Coordinates of all heavy atoms in Angstrom, one line a residue:
K666 N 138.6 128.6 96.1 CA 137.7 129.1 95.0 C 136.9 127.9 94.5 O 135.7 128.1 94.2 CB 138.6 129.7 94.0 CG 139.6 128.7 93.3 CD 140.4 129.4 92.1 CE 139.5 129.2 90.8 NZ 140.3 129.7 89.7
W667 N 137.4 126.6 94.5 CA 136.7 125.6 93.7 C 135.5 125.1 94.6 O 134.5 124.9 94.2 CB 137.6 124.4 93.5 CG 138.8 124.9 92.7 CD1 140.0 124.9 93.0 CD2 138.7 125.5 91.3 NE1 140.9 125.4 92.0 CE2 140.0 125.7 91.0 CE3 137.7 125.6 90.4 CZ2 140.4 126.2 89.6 CZ3 137.9 126.1 89.2 CH2 139.3 126.4 88.8
Q668 N 135.7 125.1 96.0 CA 134.7 124.8 96.9 C 133.6 125.9 96.9 O 132.4 125.5 97.0 CB 135.2 124.6 98.2 CG 136.3 123.5 98.3 CD 136.7 123.1 99.7 OE1 136.0 123.1 100.7 NE2 138.0 122.9 99.9
L669 N 134.0 127.1 96.8 CA 133.0 128.2 96.7 C 132.2 128.1 95.5 O 131.1 128.3 95.5 CB 133.7 129.5 96.8 CG 134.3 130.0 98.1 CD1 135.1 131.3 97.9 CD2 133.3 130.2 99.2
M670 N 132.8 127.7 94.3 CA 132.1 127.5 93.1 C 131.0 126.4 93.2 O 129.9 126.4 92.7 CB 133.0 127.2 91.9 CG 133.8 128.4 91.6 SD 132.8 129.8 91.1 CE 131.9 129.1 89.8
V671 N 131.4 125.3 94.0 CA 130.4 124.1 94.2 C 129.2 124.6 95.0 O 128.1 124.4 94.6 CB 131.1 123.1 94.9 CG1 130.1 121.9 95.3 CG2 132.2 122.3 94.2
A672 N 129.5 125.5 96.0 CA 128.4 126.0 96.9 C 127.5 127.0 96.0 O 126.3 127.0 96.1 CB 128.9 126.7 98.1
S673 N 128.2 127.8 95.1 CA 127.4 128.7 94.3 C 126.5 128.0 93.4 O 125.4 128.4 93.1 CB 128.4 129.7 93.5 OG 127.7 130.5 92.7
C674 N 127.0 126.8 92.8 CA 126.2 126.1 91.8 C 124.9 125.5 92.6 O 123.8 125.5 92.0 CB 127.0 124.9 91.3 SG 128.2 125.4 90.0
Y675 N 125.1 125.0 93.8 CA 123.9 124.6 94.6 C 122.9 125.7 94.8 O 121.7 125.5 94.7 CB 124.4 124.1 96.0 CG 125.0 122.6 95.9 CD1 126.2 122.4 96.5 CD2 124.2 121.6 95.4 CE1 126.8 121.1 96.5 CE2 124.8 120.3 95.3 CZ 126.0 120.0 95.9 OH 126.4 118.8 95.8
R676 N 123.5 126.8 95.1 CA 122.6 128.1 95.4 C 121.8 128.4 94.1 O 120.8 128.8 94.1 CB 123.5 129.2 95.9 CG 122.6 130.4 96.3 CD 123.5 131.3 97.1 NE 124.7 131.7 96.4 CZ 124.8 132.5 95.4 NH1 123.9 133.1 95.0 NH2 126.1 132.7 94.8
R677 N 122.6 128.4 92.9 CA 122.0 128.8 91.7 C 120.9 127.8 91.2 O 119.9 128.2 90.6 CB 123.0 129.0 90.6 CG 124.0 130.1 90.8 CD 125.0 130.2 89.7 NE 125.9 131.3 89.8 CZ 125.6 132.5 89.3 NH1 124.5 132.7 88.7 NH2 126.5 133.5 89.5
S678 N 121.1 126.5 91.6 CA 120.1 125.6 91.2 C 118.9 125.5 92.0 O 118.0 124.7 91.8 CB 120.8 124.2 91.1 OG 121.3 123.9 92.4
G679 N 118.9 126.3 93.2 CA 117.7 126.4 94.1 C 117.9 125.5 95.3 O 116.9 125.5 96.1
N680 N 119.0 124.7 95.5 CA 119.2 123.8 96.6 C 119.9 124.6 97.7 O 121.1 124.5 97.8 CB 119.9 122.6 96.0 CG 119.9 121.5 97.1 OD1 119.5 121.6 98.2 ND2 120.2 120.2 96.6
Y681 N 119.1 125.4 98.4 CA 119.6 126.4 99.4 C 120.2 125.5 100.6 O 121.2 126.0 101.2 CB 118.7 127.3 99.9 CG 118.3 128.3 98.7 CD1 117.0 128.2 98.1 CD2 119.2 129.2 98.1 CE1 116.6 129.0 97.1 CE2 118.8 130.0 97.1 CZ 117.5 129.9 96.6 OH 117.1 130.8 95.5
Q682 N 119.6 124.5 100.9 CA 119.9 123.8 102.1 C 121.3 123.2 101.8 O 122.2 123.3 102.7 CB 119.0 122.5 102.4 CG 119.2 121.8 103.7 CD 119.2 122.7 104.9 OE1 118.3 123.6 104.9 NE2 120.1 122.5 105.8
K683 N 121.6 122.5 100.7 CA 122.9 122.1 100.5 C 124.0 123.1 100.2 O 125.1 123.0 100.6 CB 123.0 121.2 99.1 CG 122.4 119.8 99.3 CD 122.7 118.8 98.2 CE 122.2 117.4 98.4 NZ 122.5 116.5 97.3
A684 N 123.5 124.2 99.7 CA 124.4 125.4 99.6 C 124.8 125.8 101.0 O 126.0 126.2 101.3 CB 123.8 126.5 98.9
L685 N 123.9 125.9 101.9 CA 124.2 126.3 103.4 C 125.2 125.4 104.0 O 126.2 125.8 104.6 CB 123.0 126.5 104.1 CG 123.1 126.9 105.6 CD1 123.7 128.3 105.7 CD2 121.8 126.9 106.3
E686 N 125.0 124.1 103.8 CA 125.8 123.0 104.4 C 127.2 123.2 103.8 O 128.3 123.1 104.5 CB 125.2 121.7 104.2 CG 123.9 121.4 104.9 CD 123.3 120.1 104.5 OE1 124.0 119.4 103.7 OE2 122.3 119.7 105.1
K687 N 127.3 123.5 102.5 CA 128.6 123.5 101.8 C 129.4 124.8 102.4 O 130.6 124.8 102.6 CB 128.4 123.6 100.2 CG 129.7 123.6 99.6 CD 130.5 122.3 99.8 CE 131.8 122.2 98.9 NZ 132.5 120.9 99.3
Y688 N 128.6 125.9 102.5 CA 129.3 127.1 103.0 C 129.8 126.9 104.4 O 130.8 127.5 104.8 CB 128.3 128.3 103.0 CG 128.2 128.8 101.5 CD1 127.0 129.1 101.0 CD2 129.3 129.4 101.0 CE1 126.8 129.6 99.6 CE2 129.2 130.0 99.7 CZ 128.1 130.1 99.1 OH 127.9 130.7 97.9
K689 N 129.0 126.1 105.3 CA 129.5 125.9 106.7 C 130.8 125.0 106.6 O 131.7 125.3 107.4 CB 128.4 125.1 107.4 CG 127.2 126.1 107.8 CD 126.2 125.3 108.5 CE 124.9 126.1 109.0 NZ 123.9 125.4 109.6
V690 N 130.8 124.1 105.7 CA 132.1 123.3 105.6 C 133.2 124.2 105.2 O 134.3 124.0 105.7 CB 131.9 122.1 104.7 CG1 133.1 121.4 104.4 CG2 130.8 121.1 105.1
I691 N 133.0 125.0 104.3 CA 134.0 125.9 103.8 C 134.4 126.8 104.9 O 135.6 127.2 105.1 CB 133.6 126.7 102.5 CG1 133.3 125.8 101.4 CG2 134.6 127.8 102.2 CD1 132.6 126.4 100.2
H692 N 133.5 127.3 105.8 CA 133.8 128.2 106.8 C 134.7 127.5 107.9 O 135.6 128.1 108.4 CB 132.6 128.8 107.5 CG 132.9 129.6 108.6 ND1 133.5 130.9 108.5 CD2 132.5 129.4 110.0 CE1 133.6 131.5 109.7 NE2 133.1 130.5 110.7
R693 N 134.5 126.2 108.1 CA 135.2 125.5 109.1 C 136.7 125.3 108.6 O 137.7 125.4 109.4 CB 134.7 124.1 109.4 CG 133.4 124.2 110.3 CD 133.0 122.9 110.8 NE 132.6 121.9 109.7 CZ 131.4 121.8 109.4 NH1 130.4 122.5 109.9 NH2 131.0 121.0 108.4
K694 N 136.9 125.2 107.3 CA 138.3 125.0 106.6 C 138.9 126.4 106.5 O 140.2 126.5 106.7 CB 138.1 124.3 105.4 CG 137.7 122.8 105.5 CD 137.7 122.1 104.1 CE 137.3 120.7 104.3 NZ 137.3 120.0 102.9
F695 N 138.2 127.3 106.1 CA 138.8 128.7 105.9 C 138.0 129.7 106.7 O 137.1 130.4 106.1 CB 138.6 129.0 104.4 CG 139.3 127.9 103.5 CD1 138.5 127.0 102.9 CD2 140.7 127.9 103.3 CE1 139.1 126.1 102.0 CE2 141.3 127.1 102.5 CZ 140.5 126.0 101.9
P696 N 138.2 129.8 108.0 CA 137.3 130.6 108.8 C 137.6 132.2 108.6 O 136.7 132.9 109.0 CB 137.9 130.3 110.3 CG 139.2 129.7 110.1 CD 139.3 129.1 108.8
E697 N 138.6 132.6 107.9 CA 138.7 133.9 107.6 C 138.4 134.4 106.2 O 138.7 135.5 105.7 CB 140.2 134.3 107.8 CG 140.7 134.1 109.3 CD 142.1 134.6 109.6 OE1 142.8 135.0 108.5 OE2 142.5 134.5 110.7
N698 N 137.7 133.5 105.5 CA 137.3 133.9 104.1 C 136.0 134.8 104.2 O 135.0 134.4 104.7 CB 137.0 132.6 103.4 CG 136.7 132.8 101.9 OD1 135.6 133.1 101.5 ND2 137.7 132.8 101.1
V699 N 136.2 136.0 103.7 CA 135.2 137.0 103.7 C 134.0 136.5 102.9 O 132.8 136.7 103.3 CB 135.7 138.3 103.3 CG1 134.6 139.3 103.2 CG2 136.9 138.7 104.2
E700 N 134.2 136.0 101.6 CA 133.1 135.7 100.7 C 132.3 134.7 101.3 O 131.1 134.7 101.2 CB 133.8 135.3 99.4 CG 134.6 136.3 98.7 CD 133.8 137.5 98.3 OE1 132.6 137.4 98.1 OE2 134.4 138.6 98.2
C701 N 132.8 133.6 101.9 CA 132.1 132.6 102.5 C 131.1 133.1 103.6 O 129.9 132.8 103.8 CB 133.0 131.5 103.2 SG 132.1 130.2 103.9
L702 N 131.6 134.0 104.4 CA 130.8 134.6 105.6 C 129.7 135.5 105.0 O 128.7 135.4 105.6 CB 131.7 135.4 106.5 CG 132.6 134.7 107.4 CD1 133.6 135.4 108.1 CD2 131.8 133.8 108.4
R703 N 130.0 136.2 104.0 CA 128.9 136.9 103.4 C 127.8 136.1 102.8 O 126.5 136.5 103.1 CB 129.5 137.8 102.2 CG 130.4 139.0 102.7 CD 130.9 139.7 101.6 NE 131.8 140.8 102.0 CZ 132.6 141.6 101.2 NH1 132.5 141.3 100.0 NH2 133.3 142.6 101.7
F704 N 128.1 135.0 102.2 CA 127.0 134.2 101.7 C 126.3 133.5 102.8 O 125.1 133.2 102.7 CB 127.5 133.3 100.6 CG 127.7 133.8 99.2 CD1 129.1 134.0 98.8 CD2 126.7 134.2 98.6 CE1 129.3 134.7 97.6 CE2 126.8 134.8 97.3 CZ 128.2 135.0 96.8
L705 N 127.0 133.1 103.9 CA 126.4 132.5 105.1 C 125.4 133.5 105.7 O 124.2 133.0 106.0 CB 127.4 132.1 106.1 CG 128.2 130.7 105.8 CD1 129.3 130.6 106.8 CD2 127.1 129.6 105.9
V706 N 125.8 134.8 105.8 CA 124.8 135.8 106.3 C 123.6 135.9 105.5 O 122.4 135.9 106.0 CB 125.6 137.2 106.5 CG1 124.6 138.2 106.9 CG2 126.7 137.0 107.6

Side-chain angles (χ1 to χ4, degrees):
K666 59 177 273 187
W667 306 112
Q668 300 187 41
L669 290 173
M670 289 302 303
V671 173
S673 178
C674 289
Y675 280 126
R676 183 170 51 83
R677 290 175 178 278
S678 62
N680 196 340
Y681 298 110
Q682 187 62 40
K683 281 194 173 182
L685 180 62
E686 293 175 0
K687 186 64 178 177
Y688 280 125
K689 288 181 178 180
V690 172
I691 297 171
H692 177 65
R693 286 195 294 270
K694 292 181 179 180
F695 304 95
E697 296 183 358
N698 186 272
V699 177
E700 300 297 333
C701 180
L702 287 172
R703 287 178 180 174
F704 282 110
L705 280 173
V706 171

